[in-house]
Amino acid sequence: MAAGGSASRRAQEARRQERLLREQWQSARRQARQWEAASEGERRVAAQLLLLTERGWRLLVDRRWPGTRTANVDMLMVGPGGVFVIDVKNWRSAPEVSDGKFHAGGEPRDEHAAKLLAVTKAAESAVASLGLSPVAVQPLMVFAGHRVDVGLGRIRLLGEHEVGPALLSECRRLRAESVRAIADHVERVFPDYEGSAVAERVPPMPEQPQQAVSDGLFDLEGLRDAALEEALRAPIEQWMTFLHPDQVALVRRNWSGPARISGPAGTGKTVVGLHRAAHLARRTGGRILYVTYANNLPRVQATSLKAMAPAVADRVDFSSLHSWAQQFLQARGVPARLHKDKAETAFSLAWKHVGRDSRLSEIDPAPIYWREEIDYVIKGRGITTFDEYATVPRRRRRASLRRPHRQAVWELFEAYESLRIERGVHDFNDVLSLALTEASRHTDGLPYTAVIVDEVQDLTLVGVRLLHALVRDAPNGLLLVGDGQQAVYPGGFRLADAGIDIRGDRGQVLRTNYRNSKQILDAALAIVADDAFEDIDGLRTPGRRDVDPTYHDGQVASVTKPTLDAHDQALLDALRALPDSTRADVAVLCGSMRAIGHYQRLLTQADIPVCLLEHYDGRTVDAIKLGTYRRAKGLEFKHVYLPQYDAALRHGAPAGDRGVDEVPETVRERAELRRSQLFVAMTRARDVLWLGSVAAG
C-alpha cells in the first residue's frame, strides 16, 4: 500500500461527509422556510437542529406550555443526550453574563431566564413518570446571529452555530427506542400549534432482518423495562447513573428541613443521593458538599457525577468526613496536629499503666474493645464528664458496664488524653470536635447551600452534628443517606441525639432492590437473619427484612476445598475462566488487610491485573478490583469473589463445650459486626457471588 493511501482515503471520506452534510443542511433549510409564523432567526436555528434529526434526534417546534392558555415553548429537542428545552432569541445585541446577572444591549433580561427555568421544570415533571432523572433535562437559550457559549446558572447560552455541536457532544443517555418513546410522550404533554409539527426523517439504513417491536415499549411500563434492561447491559459505572421511576420524586422533592433516605442494600440510596446533588447544584447555583466516611468512595462518586451531569460537577465537593474537617480547620487557621501513630502510642501506654490490670479485663482483656469504647462512645459522642458517660446509652454495644467498669473506662480515657496532650497531637475524633466548635462559633460564611451525607450510619455523633451545623435546619439543606444494617464500625447514635428532627415525609424508605439477584440477596440475608439492629431513627428492625427484588437471574457459587492452596487454586481457575472484557466489573473482597496482601501476591504471580480499591476512582479499568469489605462500601460489581468468606464467622464462635450463653458479650458483639461487614461485601454482587471456604480441620 502506498504511503499516502490511508491519507487519501481519509480525504475522500471527509469530502463525502461534507457533501452529505451540505445536502442535509439544504433540506433542513427548505423545511425551516415552510414555517411562516417563525422568524428568520428561529428558522436558522431550526435548520441547525434539523441536521440532528438525521442522527437520531427529534425536534418539536412551537409547543404549548401545559397549564397555560397562550404561553409557548419555542423548541424541544429529544435525543441520545436527553431532553433539551430551547428558547430562541433573535436579539440585535449579544447576551452578557456578569456576576450571575443577565443583560443584553445594556438592559436586564433576567425575566427571560426565569421563564425558561419554569418551562424546564414543567418538562422535568413531564418525563419524571418515565423514570428520566432531572439531570437529563436541560434548558438552552439559543441566540440567532451570535456566537456564544456561556453558562447562566443551569441555563446554557449558545449561538446558532454552537447549539448543534453542543448537543452532539452530550454523553449518550438514551437508546433510539427510548428517544422515540420519550419524544412521543413530550409531544402529548406539550401539544403543538397548527402547522408547527416537524416530520421526523429517518436516514436510510443497511438491510437488516426485521425485528418485531412490541407496542408496549411505548407505554410507561414498557419504557421502564427497556431502561432497566439497557442499564443492566451497560458497564457498572453507567449503572450507577441509572434512576428508576419510583426514585425520581425523592430527587426532585422540596423538604422543609433535614431529611433522610434509608432502605436495605441495593435499593439505590447512593444513586438517589448523587442525582439529588446534581439537581440541587442546578437549582440553587450554590455549592453542595457530598460527604461519606470512607476515603476511597468520594473519588468514585465524583467520577459518577461527572459522567452523568458534567455541567454541575464542579459545584459538588466530594470528600471523606475527616479530610473535609482537616481542610475546613486549615482554611479557618485552626491548628490540627493529627498524628495517628503517636496517638496509638499514647493509648498503648495508657492501657499498660491504667487499663490492663483494671476491672476492664473482667469483661474483655483485649485493649481494642476499650479503644473503641473511647473512640465511638466517649469521644465519638462528644462526652466531656464522667457523670454524662455514667448514664449514656451505649448504642450497638452489647457488654453491660456497671458503674465501677465505667469508672475504669473513664480513668483509661483520662490517662490517654493526658498522654496525647503531652505529646502535642490530635486523633481523628479531636479533628471533628475542633471543626464542630469552629462551625458552631462562626456561622457566617459557611460555604454550602446543601450537605448530603452518604453511609451516615458509619459516622459518629460528633460527625453528624458537625455536618448539621453547616446548614442547620434550612429547607433542602441536609440529606442523610444510609442503612443501619450495613454499619461496619462499632457504636451508634440516634438522630435525636444530634438535635435532628425528621418529621412526616422527611424520612423516606426505599424497599425495591435494583442491584442484587434474588439468589444473592437471599444468601446475604441468611447471614444476618438473626441479627436485629437499631437504626439511627431508634427503630428496632429484624435482620431478615422485606425487600422487593427486581432482578432474578443471578448465581451463588459455594466452593469448599480441603486446603488453602486448593482453595486459592479454585479462585484462580474461576477468575481465569472469565472473559477479559469482564475484568472491569469484577472484585475480590477480603475481611482483613493481611488477606489483601496474600491475594494481591497470588493474583500478581498469576499475571492477573489488580487494582486496589484504595486507588480506584470509578473509571473503567481492565483489572480485578481488590479490597476489604469496608473499602467496598457504596460500590457494586457484576461479579464478586469472597475467598475464605466464612473464616470471620468461625472466629469467635463458642469453643469446646462452652455454651452460647457463656460466650462473652464482647465476643458476640464483634461476631455480629463481622457478619454485618460480610453482608455488605456479599451485597456488592449483582450477577455472580463466589463464596470460597477451607474445610475446618
Side-chain angles (χ1 to χ4, degrees), residues 251 272-292 298 301-302 305 309 311-319 324 327 446-454 467 470-471 475-481:
V251 173
V272 171
L274 288 172
H275 283 267
R276 177 72 174 176
H279 177 69
L280 292 176
R282 282 186 166 180
R283 283 295 177 88
T284 65
R287 298 205 65 78
I288 311 298
L289 175 62
Y290 197 107
V291 67
T292 189
Q301 293 166 332
L305 186 74
V312 299
D314 62 345
R315 293 208 296 275
V316 182
D317 294 338
F318 290 90
S319 178
W324 181 86
Q327 295 169 5
L446 293 175
Y448 298 105
T449 58
V451 174
I452 298 175
V453 187
D454 201 1
L467 296 169
L470 299 181
V471 288
N476 300 314
L478 181 66
L479 176 62
L480 305 173
V481 180

Side-chain angles (χ1 to χ4, degrees), residues 183-240:
D184 289 345
H185 181 69
V186 171
E187 193 170 14
R188 290 191 293 271
V189 175
F190 292 83
D192 65 340
Y193 289 96
E194 186 175 354
S196 66
V198 178
E200 180 182 12
R201 299 184 59 200
V202 180
M205 298 291 290
E207 288 290 328
Q208 293 181 345
Q210 290 283 332
Q211 291 184 340
V213 179
S214 169
D215 290 340
L217 179 65
F218 302 104
D219 62 19
L220 297 187
E221 200 65 36
L223 183 60
R224 293 170 186 170
D225 292 343
L228 181 58
E229 288 180 12
E230 178 182 359
L232 289 171
R233 288 194 298 268
I236 205 72
E237 288 83 0
Q238 293 182 26
W239 166 257
M240 283 292 292

Side-chain angles (χ1 to χ4, degrees), residues 573-652:
D573 292 342
L575 293 175
R576 285 169 173 154
L578 293 171
D580 290 344
S581 59
T582 65
R583 283 182 187 150
D585 290 330
V586 177
V588 174
L589 305 179
C590 305
S592 68
M593 288 303 300
R594 182 179 180 181
I596 292 297
H598 170 74
Y599 286 105
Q600 184 177 13
R601 290 189 296 272
L602 183 74
L603 297 181
T604 301
Q605 291 168 2
D607 293 326
I608 297 176
V610 172
C611 173
L612 293 176
L613 282 184
E614 60 188 278
H615 301 148
Y616 178 54
D617 65 359
R619 294 183 177 89
T620 302
V621 56
D622 184 24
I624 303 293
K625 311 304 184 303
L626 176 64
T628 63
Y629 297 167
R630 290 178 178 180
R631 287 282 187 187
K633 286 291 293 286
L635 304 177
E636 51 190 70
F637 306 92
K638 291 182 180 179
H639 303 254
V640 169
Y641 294 78
L642 304 182
Q644 303 181 67
Y645 86 100
D646 57 346
L649 300 181
R650 293 198 302 265
H651 183 66

Side-chain angles (χ1 to χ4, degrees), residues 53-374:
T53 63
E54 303 282 351
R55 298 168 182 260
W57 291 73
R58 281 274 294 277
L59 175 62
L60 307 175
V61 178
D62 198 20
R63 316 302 296 185
R64 296 182 184 180
W65 185 348
T68 68
R69 292 187 176 183
T70 59
N72 76 308
V73 184
D74 288 344
M75 299 177 188
L76 291 160
M77 198 76 178
V78 183
V83 177
F84 296 84
V85 182
I86 301 174
D87 186 12
V88 179
K89 299 301 183 186
N90 195 23
W91 294 349
R92 185 184 301 257
S93 301
E96 298 177 357
V97 177
S98 177
D99 296 328
K101 298 297 183 180
F102 183 31
H103 294 81
E107 297 292 329
R109 304 296 179 101
D110 291 328
E111 72 276 6
H112 295 273
K115 177 186 174 183
L116 178 55
L117 290 175
V119 72
T120 301
K121 187 175 181 181
E124 287 179 357
S125 299
V127 298
S129 61
L130 304 180
L132 201 62
S133 168
V135 304
V137 183
Q138 302 180 50
L140 303 178
M141 196 173 287
V142 182
F143 296 85
H146 296 287
R147 287 192 173 274
V148 61
D149 187 350
V150 67
L152 175 65
R154 68 176 299 200
I155 300 174
R156 190 172 178 183
L157 311 182
L158 296 166
E160 66 177 74
H161 297 288
E162 286 76 26
V163 63
L167 292 178
L168 286 176
S169 67
E170 288 284 333
C171 62
R172 185 179 181 86
R173 300 179 185 275
L174 306 173
R175 295 167 61 203
E177 56 264 41
S178 297
V179 171
R180 288 194 293 270
I182 291 172
D184 289 345
H185 181 69
V186 171
E187 193 170 14
R188 290 191 293 271
V189 175
F190 292 83
D192 65 340
Y193 289 96
E194 186 175 354
S196 66
V198 178
E200 180 182 12
R201 299 184 59 200
V202 180
M205 298 291 290
E207 288 290 328
Q208 293 181 345
Q210 290 283 332
Q211 291 184 340
V213 179
S214 169
D215 290 340
L217 179 65
F218 302 104
D219 62 19
L220 297 187
E221 200 65 36
L223 183 60
R224 293 170 186 170
D225 292 343
L228 181 58
E229 288 180 12
E230 178 182 359
L232 289 171
R233 288 194 298 268
I236 205 72
E237 288 83 0
Q238 293 182 26
W239 166 257
M240 283 292 292
T241 68
F242 173 70
L243 194 66
H244 205 272
D246 62 1
Q247 300 166 329
V248 177
L250 296 182
V251 173
R252 302 178 66 238
R253 179 168 296 183
N254 284 319
W255 277 301
S256 59
R260 187 194 177 206
I261 296 175
S262 61
T267 52
K269 297 180 295 297
T270 293
V271 175
V272 171
L274 288 172
H275 283 267
R276 177 72 174 176
H279 177 69
L280 292 176
R282 282 186 166 180
R283 283 295 177 88
T284 65
R287 298 205 65 78
I288 311 298
L289 175 62
Y290 197 107
V291 67
T292 189
Y293 186 86
N295 286 323
N296 61 312
L297 194 53
R299 294 193 300 271
V300 178
Q301 293 166 332
T303 298
S304 296
L305 186 74
K306 189 171 183 179
M308 73 183 191
V312 299
D314 62 345
R315 293 208 296 275
V316 182
D317 294 338
F318 290 90
S319 178
S320 67
L321 176 59
H322 290 99
S323 294
W324 181 86
Q326 287 179 267
Q327 295 169 5
F328 175 70
L329 291 172
Q330 184 178 12
R332 295 296 185 100
V334 178
R337 297 176 296 276
L338 180 63
H339 200 297
K340 180 181 178 182
D341 291 341
K342 289 185 177 180
E344 289 288 350
T345 299
F347 177 79
S348 296
L349 290 172
W351 174 255
K352 177 182 178 181
H353 297 308
V354 177
R356 185 170 58 190
D357 297 327
S358 71
R359 299 193 63 174
L360 299 181
S361 60
E362 300 171 359
I363 296 176
D364 196 319
I368 183 62
Y369 187 84
W370 305 111
R371 178 62 197 262
E372 291 171 350
E373 182 76 9
I374 291 173

